[in-house]
Amino acid sequence: MSRLRMRAIRAIAAVFEELELAKVPEAWMQSVAAASGSQETQSFTAGEVTRISEAIRNRGLTAVNVVRALARRGFADEAENLLLMLRQRISGDYLQTSAILRDGKVKSALNDPNDYQGPGSGYRMSEARWQAVRGIRDIQTRDKVMERERRADPTAPPWLVSKGSAAKGHDPTEIVIGVSPAFGSELNRTTAGHELIDVLLALTEGIREGGGVPRLVRIRHTADTSFLGLTAARLSGSRYGIGIQAKGTAVIHRADRLPHLNIELFSNAPVTTLDHYRAMGRNAALHALGQSPEPVVVPVDGRALGARHHVHVAMLYAIETELADPDAAPLELTMVLGQRTFA
């Protein structure tokens, strides 16, 4: 198994070198061979990966180039297997129901049927078991979610104040932060527990540190993170923007990109810190100044986020989408903290 793993590692390294994308040091290969998980490996940084990806795109490299590179470097079996996969993609046979590949041929529910007789023919819970499953603890409800989201002082004045419709900016150093419909109104903290006031302060401080000028806008026609960021970028004088949901998911976007082809993404909001948001703001400003900063990486330990987050997150997003109005224009915002006002 160790020989097989090492051969796979060297095959990948050979492709990088043959295609003149990168040179993989021997120490990196050995670290991957001995690792129990990705955190124990030495590899490219996120910025280096971005540059390699751009080279692949700019040169028009495809999987066929990878097949040729493998063959030239002596990995004939691997090249043949990859070519088989490409043939399957063209034929589409693997799209058959329950399809798998065996000896280069497709086996599926069409040519190798089982005896399943349809819904109700398999295992069915007894009434007692169904009642036990239904009686689980800590059921999440909208009321419970909103109770946690309630502001410490419901009588306090709003800290995000609208100044009217948002127009296209002209300052080439401007970074627009596009917040979601419920941000700072119905919802007040991220899933990591950060107050949204602190999150916006971190983002705006980071933008200023990077040499940019922050501007706040509420996006009302969508709650999708990518579209929040893209809308913010299209309103920004620099053509760079940050989109952020109330639950903490955030992106850096650029005005000329496709909706989900963002610059940077914070997808794991429950483990994202205020320092990460500050660094995201700084990176957005550096991009606007024509630099290519190292992307901010939110570290995780390889485990999936706990199931306790799933229903909570779904309810938070449902609250956001309920407030979205497809016909509503973005609003310019001012952040008011005590006697201080932040544009």
Side-chain angles (χ1 to χ4, degrees):
M1 180 60 72
S2 60
R3 285 196 302 270
L4 184 62
R5 175 184 260 195
M6 200 66 215
R7 182 173 175 85
I9 294 167
R10 293 199 183 282
I12 294 171
V15 170
F16 275 104
E17 189 170 342
E18 179 67 25
L19 297 179
E20 299 181 347
L21 294 171
K23 174 71 174 177
V24 181
E26 178 67 25
W28 290 14
M29 290 189 271
Q30 294 296 335
S31 76
V32 173
S36 298
S38 60
Q39 289 186 328
E40 299 175 8
T41 65
Q42 300 176 54
S43 188
F44 301 105
T45 67
E48 290 168 335
V49 170
T50 298
R51 288 186 283 276
I52 291 170
S53 298
E54 289 175 348
I56 292 172
R57 181 189 62 200
N58 294 338
R59 291 167 54 191
L61 297 177
T62 69
V64 175
N65 297 102
V66 176
V67 171
R68 290 171 177 160
L70 287 168
R72 288 173 186 151
R73 289 301 182 104
F75 294 93
D77 290 343
E78 290 77 8
E80 184 60 38
N81 287 337
L82 180 55
L83 189 59
L84 170 65
M85 291 175 58
L86 297 178
R87 291 194 192 104
Q88 289 297 332
R89 289 181 64 180
I90 293 172
S91 70
D93 282 350
Y94 69 98
L95 296 175
Q96 296 178 40
T97 305
S98 303
I100 59 173
L101 287 173
R102 284 292 181 267
D103 300 322
K105 297 181 180 179
V106 173
K107 294 183 67 174
S108 72
L110 299 181
N111 57 20
D112 185 28
N114 59 29
D115 59 358
Y116 177 59
Q117 300 298 310
S121 64
Y123 168 74
R124 304 190 73 173
M125 289 185 184
S126 66
E127 182 61 27
R129 176 58 180 159
W130 174 235
Q131 293 302 323
V133 170
R134 291 182 60 188
I136 59 174
R137 301 185 304 276
D138 300 325
I139 295 177
Q140 292 280 357
T141 65
R142 182 190 175 97
D143 289 342
K144 288 183 179 180
V145 170
M146 294 307 297
E147 178 66 27
R148 284 195 295 269
E149 292 294 328
R150 186 168 295 139
R151 298 172 65 187
D153 181 5
T155 64
W159 59 277
L160 278 179
V161 180
S162 171
K163 299 193 298 181
S165 297
K168 175 77 170 66
H170 301 287
D171 185 342
T173 66
E174 174 184 76
I175 303 296
V176 170
I177 302 173
V179 304
S180 58
F183 192 104
S185 56
E186 295 293 314
L187 304 178
N188 295 288
R189 58 187 56 82
T190 72
T191 49
H194 306 306
E195 295 289 335
L196 295 184
I197 295 174
D198 295 327
V199 172
L200 272 193
L201 285 173
L203 285 170
T204 55
E205 288 168 3
I207 290 170
R208 292 190 181 97
E209 286 176 5
V213 176
R215 177 179 158 217
L216 304 179
V217 169
R218 186 181 300 283
I219 311 299
R220 298 187 294 164
H221 73 278
T222 181
D224 181 276
T225 316
S226 292
F227 284 92
L228 291 172
L230 184 59
T231 304
R234 289 174 174 172
L235 287 170
S236 174
S238 69
R239 295 169 60 79
Y240 283 92
I242 293 173
I244 183 167
Q245 294 175 326
K247 64 185 179 66
T249 306
V251 298
I252 299 175
H253 224 311
R254 194 173 70 203
D256 60 347
R257 290 199 162 206
L258 294 172
H260 298 296
L261 194 63
N262 51 67
I263 305 292
E264 291 190 32
L265 167 66
F266 287 177
S267 59
N268 290 329
V271 294
T272 304
T273 69
L274 294 177
D275 285 342
H276 291 134
Y277 290 113
R278 186 171 187 145
M280 172 177 269
R282 184 166 56 249
N283 273 9
L286 292 175
H287 278 293
L289 295 175
Q291 301 182 35
S292 298
E294 187 69 26
V296 182
V297 177
V298 178
V300 294
D301 60 8
R303 293 179 297 176
L305 294 176
R308 62 192 174 88
H309 290 293
H310 299 172
V311 175
H312 184 205
V313 166
M315 287 187 175
L316 292 176
Y317 189 65
I319 292 166
E320 293 266 35
T321 55
E322 285 175 2
L323 293 179
D325 179 353
D327 299 320
L331 294 176
E332 198 82 21
L333 295 178
T334 297
M335 185 162 50
V336 180
L337 304 179
Q339 300 299 315
R340 299 177 66 192
T341 298
F342 299 81

